[in-house]
Amino acid sequence: MRIPFACVLLLSATALAQPNDSYRKFINQHINGRMSADRCDQVIGERNIKINVNDCKEKNTFILATTNHVRAICGQAGEPFGQMTKSLQPFQIIVCQLRNQGARPPRCQYRGQARTRKIAIRCANGFPVHFEGDIVHFEN
């Protein structure tokens, strides 16, 4: 059976445009439109966010937005920022900071703080794959 070359190109382009594991991990760790500062322990536990089996994650940031709004940063809603891409507009975020240093999962306890910041992410093939940090933004 011969597959026309145009079909092979279309299938290849479709495969490249599909979200990958890094994007799915980014969504799990960083996007939650209903997040609040008092839910860090609950959400981090439910989503199994940690460094590894033995270590709590020191800090995790949740972006209060849809996946489409965050993904748009990798296109027209973002600008180059070193090796990263910076959002043109600020986002509501919740920063969860580990309170009990040295704790091991499942005993990780976090203090949440709500902020409004531009964010810096790494994009791959048009998808966000790494949250670098938030950027304090001062308007003139």
Side-chain angles (χ1 to χ4, degrees):
M1 179 172 141
R2 294 184 60 197
I3 300 174
F5 184 68
C7 289
V8 172
L9 284 177
L10 180 61
L11 290 172
S12 297
T14 302
L16 287 176
Q18 295 299 313
N20 59 27
D21 291 339
S22 296
Y23 177 56
R24 283 190 272 282
K25 181 178 178 182
F26 178 89
I27 291 169
N28 181 63
Q29 288 189 340
H30 300 294
I31 298 180
N32 186 335
R34 298 184 197 145
M35 186 63 184
S36 62
D38 62 345
R39 294 184 58 226
C40 288
D41 294 348
Q42 176 190 351
V43 174
I44 288 173
E46 287 172 355
R47 294 186 177 200
N48 200 27
I49 299 170
K50 52 192 169 191
I51 298 290
N52 55 46
V53 174
N54 295 318
D55 296 310
C56 302
K57 192 168 181 187
E58 187 75 26
K59 180 170 92 169
N60 195 76
T61 301
F62 291 98
I63 307 162
L64 281 68
T66 66
T67 54
N68 287 338
H69 282 112
V70 177
R71 184 174 173 208
I73 298 167
C74 295
Q76 292 183 335
E79 64 185 0
F81 186 71
Q83 298 296 315
M84 302 290 159
T85 302
K86 176 175 72 169
S87 64
L88 295 176
Q89 299 297 317
F91 281 82
Q92 297 291 320
I93 61 173
I94 302 292
V95 179
C96 300
Q97 187 72 44
L98 186 66
R99 288 188 310 179
N100 55 342
Q101 300 299 316
R104 306 266 184 195
R107 292 179 178 80
C108 309
Q109 295 177 346
Y110 293 87
R111 178 178 297 109
Q113 184 180 33
R115 300 177 182 167
T116 301
R117 302 280 196 274
K118 289 187 176 183
I119 58 175
I121 60 175
R122 182 179 322 122
C123 299
N125 296 320
F127 292 93
V129 295
H130 173 73
F131 181 87
E132 182 64 22
D134 57 276
I135 303 162
V136 176
H137 176 70
F138 297 103
E139 290 290 332
N140 293 343

